[in-house]
Structure formats: C-alpha cells, structure tokens
Amino acid sequence: MTVPQIAPELAVSRWFNSAAPLTLSSLRGRPVLIHAFQMLCPACVAHGTPQAEKAHRMFRETDLQVIGLHTVFEHHAAMTPVALEAFISEYGLTMPIGVDEAASDSRMPVTMARFAMQGTPTAILIGRDGQVQYHGFGKEDDMALGARIARALG
Amino acid sequence: MTVPQIAPELAVSRWFNSAAPLTLSSLRGRPVLIHAFQMLCPACVAHGTPQAEKAHRMFRETDLQVIGLHTVFEHHAAMTPVALEAFISEYGLTMPIGVDEAASDSRMPVTMARFAMQGTPTAILIGRDGQVQYHGFGKEDDMALGARIARALG
Amino acid sequence: MTVPQIAPELAVSRWFNSAAPLTLSSLRGRPVLIHAFQMLCPACVAHGTPQAEKAHRMFRETDLQVIGLHTVFEHHAAMTPVALEAFISEYGLTMPIGVDEAASDSRMPVTMARFAMQGTPTAILIGRDGQVQYHGFGKEDDMALGARIARALG
Amino acid sequence: MTVPQIAPELAVSRWFNSAAPLTLSSLRGRPVLIHAFQMLCPACVAHGTPQAEKAHRMFRETDLQVIGLHTVFEHHAAMTPVALEAFISEYGLTMPIGVDEAASDSRMPVTMARFAMQGTPTAILIGRDGQVQYHGFGKEDDMALGARIARALG
C-alpha cells in the first residue's frame, strides 16, 4: 500500500517536448503520471516508455499530464542529454520529458531520490490534490494503469 | 458515438462458471462488461477472451460483473455447448459464460440480435443505470478498456 | 537424443487440404515435417499450428512435405472432423491436415500411439531416408526449426 | 537476388566481447553472420539484435561466427563506444561486436559503405568460400534465418 503523501517537486535540468518547464506545483489540480526511465533500460524501452507515450496520446482530451523523467543512476557517460535527444527522435516520443537533475554527491539524481524510487521503470500517479496515489516499480499492466488513470481523472 | 440506451435482456440457454443464471435486470446497480465471442474466432481466442478473463480477475474486488457470451452465428455444428465446455476448460476461463440462445429463424442468436452486434469479438459495457455506455466491435486496447471500466465503476 | 528409427506409417481417417491421402511410404525420398495438434490445445493454436503453416508456405519451393495431424486424445466430442473443418477455415490453414485415426481401445489415436507422442503440440521431422531425425514435444523455436528443416533438405 | 561476390573486409575501430580483432580473411572457411545495427535503432533493439544474439547462442556448437557491427550513420554524438558498452551490458549481449570505423569524409562508416548497406538492421551471411550468400535490410524472419544459417553450415 502506498501511504498518501504530497508529491515532492521535480528537479529537472532540461526539458524536451515542452515549450516551458513543468512543475508539480503549477500542475496542482490536474492528475499527473510520471514515467521514470533510462534510455538504456531494456524494460523501459520495450514496455514502460511506449506505455507512457500511449497514455499521453490516449488521454490527450483530458487534463491528465504525462511526464517522462530521465532518471539516470548508472552509465551516466552513455545516457547524456544529447543521447536522450536522439532516443526521443528515433522512438517518436511526443510526451514532455525532463532530465532529472544530477546530484553532486550521489549517482542517483535529485528527483529520483526525493521520490525514493527503486529503479526504472517507475510509474507514479499524482492526484489532483498533489498526493501520490500510486508508486510502482517495474512492469505495469496496461489495463490496470488505464483504470488508475481514469480513477485519478474521475 | 454510442447513443445511450437501456440494454436489452440476455437470452441464454446454458451457463458455465455460474451457479445460477445471470440477468441484466438483477444486475441493475452494478456495471456489467459483456464479452461476446465465438470459440473458433481467432481474434477472440488470441486477444478478446483472455482480455475479458483478465478484467474478470483484475476487478474481482469491485462490483463489476464480467460476462462471456458465446454468440455463435457461423459454424454452428462445430461450436456446440460440449465444445465450448472443453474450450473453457483448456483455456482456464473462470468468468461466467452464457450460451446465447439460438434463434429459430436466423443464424444469429437472440442476444446478439437484440444488441445489434456486428460480429465477434464485441465488448459492451453497461452502467449501473442499465444503459449501454460502450459498444465496440473488434480488438479493444487494454488501457482504454481499463479506463472505461474504472469510469463505469466510479 | 532421438534414436534414429524408421518412422511408422500414418493412420488417417480423413484428409483436409489434400486431393489424395498422403502416406509416408509414398513420400519416401522427401523430408516430412509432421505437426501433431489439437484444435483446442492453446499452445498449438497460439504457436505450433501457425508455425507449421508458416513452414508449409516458406518451403513451398522445396520438396519438404508439411503435414498437420489432428491427434485428438481428449475432449473427443468437441474436436470432431466437423469442428476441425471450421477451425481450418477460420485460421486460414492451407497445409494438408489429416485426422489421426481413432483407436478402438484407447483415448489416444493410432498414429499418435505409433510415434509414442507425449502430447500436443509435437513436431516430428523425417529425413529423406524415412528415419525420424527429430521428435519434439512442446514449443519449438522458429530459428531452430528452420535450421532443422534446412538440414533435412540439404 | 544477391549477386555472389567476395565479401569485403571489415574495418573495425574497437571490439567488444572478443579477446582479439576478427577479420573475414582469417575466418575464411567458416560461415559468418554479420548483424549491422545501431543501438538507437528501434527495429534493431526490438528484433534484429536479440535475433543475432540468439543465433550466436544457438549455433555455438557449430563453426558459425556471428558478428555484431555497430554501423553508426546518424546521431554520432549519441552512439559513442562508451554508450555502446553500456548498451551491451544492459542487454546482456555476448556475441563479438565491432565498432564500424568512422569515415573521414562521410557520415556512413567504412564497412557499411564497403558492403553498400542500406540501413539498419542489416543481416549479411557469408559462406565458407567468403562469398556473400545473403544480404537483407530490415526485419528477418527467425525461421528463414535459421534455414539460411543451416544451409551455410551444411
């Protein structure tokens, strides 16, 4: 069970697919789905990232905000913003994607640590009230995720 | 767009996986998902029927009622109740499954005609008020179906 | 390891997709791939039977003979020739398919017993010399099967 | 149809998963499967690269040599050897993989140009005599590839 808690703020060093930076405080009142991934994480590439992109497109008519978060905690020299940009282009991703801010004293980036994520892929669903409704590590079932999003929207 | 309408009643000649016959009138107040299929319909076997079974299991804690409906409109001699019983056993299906009542004057069975279904697989979602909320023919996306069910439950 | 042995003869009560009955003795000199299946066996429907049909089409230019064999050893009342005919039609199968002859004293049909098959799906590859080169029960990998067929042809 | 021709030599700037550099001239007498890929090419990651790795493992007992070739012709700043090393680790690749040598005057690397490859993924099968037996661009079917390899080995 997830203990309800106010989601901490994002710390993002660069945005792709977004004209302006996104913050959870400015998104308060809307449900937010955060998909944390790494571009060289096989389960992200095969499942989690296309799933988040699908949600972004499927719920376009609603006020759900889907955010991809590139939470690099290993192979830092390989998964640079330049590499991420190529990845986003090759995989045709259109959802806003932020680069989780590197920490000065840890391999784990700042937002990943604030949310106490266990790895990638991670899905975090935040309600209109800013509380974390769901925090899951690993493969999410499409049907279950669709139901969670609809409940957050309803 | 689906025009809201009160769902017609089921006409079922035999039930599997249900101690007693199910009727939509007695289920009024609960959301109902009907999965119409034929055991020799490739898209049903590969996708629709496992999807309905997954919904049956995933929403077990809710008051959603999932109903499989064997709507035989072709190959009647092949898709008998005896054959269906073997199919249910081999595929490990646990949701209630009704055999749509054969019509005396048509290849299309009674419930299938009442709902004006176009073929199999068909998914029909009925709200707590007995109105048809969704009627789809063909492959349903898992995420979209999960969201529809959650909205019907909410 | 498969001990090389001359394949026993087929016993088939009815053929589909073949103008005349096929016998292994008349096919001597050509490689033969036998795919034993049941139309209500989930692993056959999802994998083995489409794989055999693919081999039938892929090696059409060679003298490989692919034979589907409906080896019903359970749910006999459900998997009748009438039902098989509908199955063949619905799944668009074009390879020759024989109904393994029912045994008078056993649930297991005659050819299945002669080959000592363990269940369905089973793949049996017979060389030009009539010897069994491979006998496998369960899911066959496409790449491995392609290689086996090419070796039998070479 | 592929016109038989002697395969040109590889030009590789760095090897992974190989104690020593591999050359086609020293491999003469053995069949060689070259899988040309880019680590950010979706069809490579989803299909071609795992397929080549599977062939590498499946034919381990034979004298087939599988070679992965990282033919970067776009997003050069993203697909560096450092990034490739992380990719190889994350995807658990064990086949020898060479980095196609960058050309001084072209975005297309040297080996890719010598073989006149059209893009990634590309599969090239070289016979024991050093001649190109097959050159295919795009998705290869597992069964067809297994058969091609077996013919090259036979």
Side-chain angles (χ1 to χ4, degrees), chain A residues 14 16 39-40 70 75-91, chain D residues 39-40 75-80 83:
Chain A
R14 181 165 171 192
F16 295 94
M39 56 174 282
L40 292 182
H70 198 226
H75 306 303
H76 295 76
M79 296 191 275
T80 60
V82 165
L84 178 62
E85 188 166 25
F87 176 83
I88 289 170
S89 167
E90 286 302 307
Y91 282 82
Chain D
M39 57 173 282
L40 292 183
H75 306 303
H76 295 76
M79 295 190 277
T80 61

Side-chain angles (χ1 to χ4, degrees), chain B residues 60-147:
Chain B
R60 198 184 284 279
E61 309 292 305
T62 73
D63 66 345
L64 174 74
Q65 176 69 60
V66 177
I67 295 176
L69 188 66
H70 199 226
T71 53
V72 180
F73 63 92
E74 57 190 344
H75 306 302
H76 295 76
M79 296 190 276
T80 60
V82 165
L84 177 62
E85 187 166 25
F87 176 82
I88 290 169
S89 167
E90 286 301 309
Y91 282 82
L93 303 177
T94 62
M95 61 182 163
I97 293 176
V99 176
D100 194 0
E101 190 179 303
S104 56
D105 57 351
S106 166
R107 293 178 63 81
M108 184 179 289
V110 174
T111 315
M112 190 179 189
R114 284 182 186 165
F115 277 88
M117 295 183 199
Q118 300 171 69
T120 54
T122 285
I124 293 175
L125 190 58
I126 302 169
R128 297 187 186 284
D129 58 2
Q131 293 207 350
V132 173
Q133 293 188 347
Y134 178 77
H135 180 145
F137 170 44
K139 189 172 177 178
E140 294 291 325
D141 180 86
D142 264 22
M143 191 185 287
L145 184 60

Side-chain angles (χ1 to χ4, degrees), chain D residues 4 11 21 54 63 71 81-82 154:
Chain D
K54 180 159 88 166
D63 66 345
T71 53
V82 164

Side-chain angles (χ1 to χ4, degrees), chain C residues 51 54 58 141-143 146-147 150, chain D residues 54 58 141-143 146-147 150:
Chain C
Q51 181 184 57
K54 179 159 88 167
M58 184 173 287
D141 181 86
D142 264 22
M143 190 184 286
Chain D
K54 180 159 88 166
M58 185 174 288
D141 181 86
D142 265 21
M143 191 184 286

Side-chain angles (χ1 to χ4, degrees), chain A residues 47-152:
Chain A
H47 185 79
T49 306
Q51 181 186 55
E53 176 71 15
K54 179 159 88 167
H56 170 67
R57 296 177 189 218
M58 184 173 288
F59 295 94
R60 199 183 283 280
E61 309 292 305
T62 72
D63 66 345
L64 175 73
Q65 176 69 59
V66 177
I67 296 175
L69 188 66
H70 198 226
T71 52
V72 180
F73 62 92
E74 57 190 344
H75 306 303
H76 295 76
M79 296 191 275
T80 60
V82 165
L84 178 62
E85 188 166 25
F87 176 83
I88 289 170
S89 167
E90 286 302 307
Y91 282 82
L93 303 177
T94 62
M95 61 182 164
I97 293 177
V99 177
D100 195 0
E101 189 179 305
S104 55
D105 57 350
S106 166
R107 293 178 64 80
M108 182 179 290
V110 174
T111 316
M112 190 179 190
R114 285 182 185 165
F115 277 88
M117 296 184 199
Q118 300 171 69
T120 54
T122 284
I124 293 175
L125 191 58
I126 302 169
R128 297 188 187 284
D129 58 1
Q131 292 207 351
V132 173
Q133 293 188 348
Y134 177 77
H135 180 145
F137 169 44
K139 189 172 178 179
E140 295 289 324
D141 180 86
D142 264 22
M143 190 184 287
L145 183 60
R148 277 193 195 98
I149 291 171
R151 281 193 293 265

Side-chain angles (χ1 to χ4, degrees), chain C residues 49-68:
Chain C
T49 306
Q51 181 184 57
E53 175 71 16
K54 179 159 88 167
H56 170 67
R57 297 178 188 217
M58 184 173 287
F59 296 94
R60 198 184 284 280
E61 309 292 306
T62 74
D63 67 344
L64 175 73
Q65 177 68 61
V66 177
I67 295 176

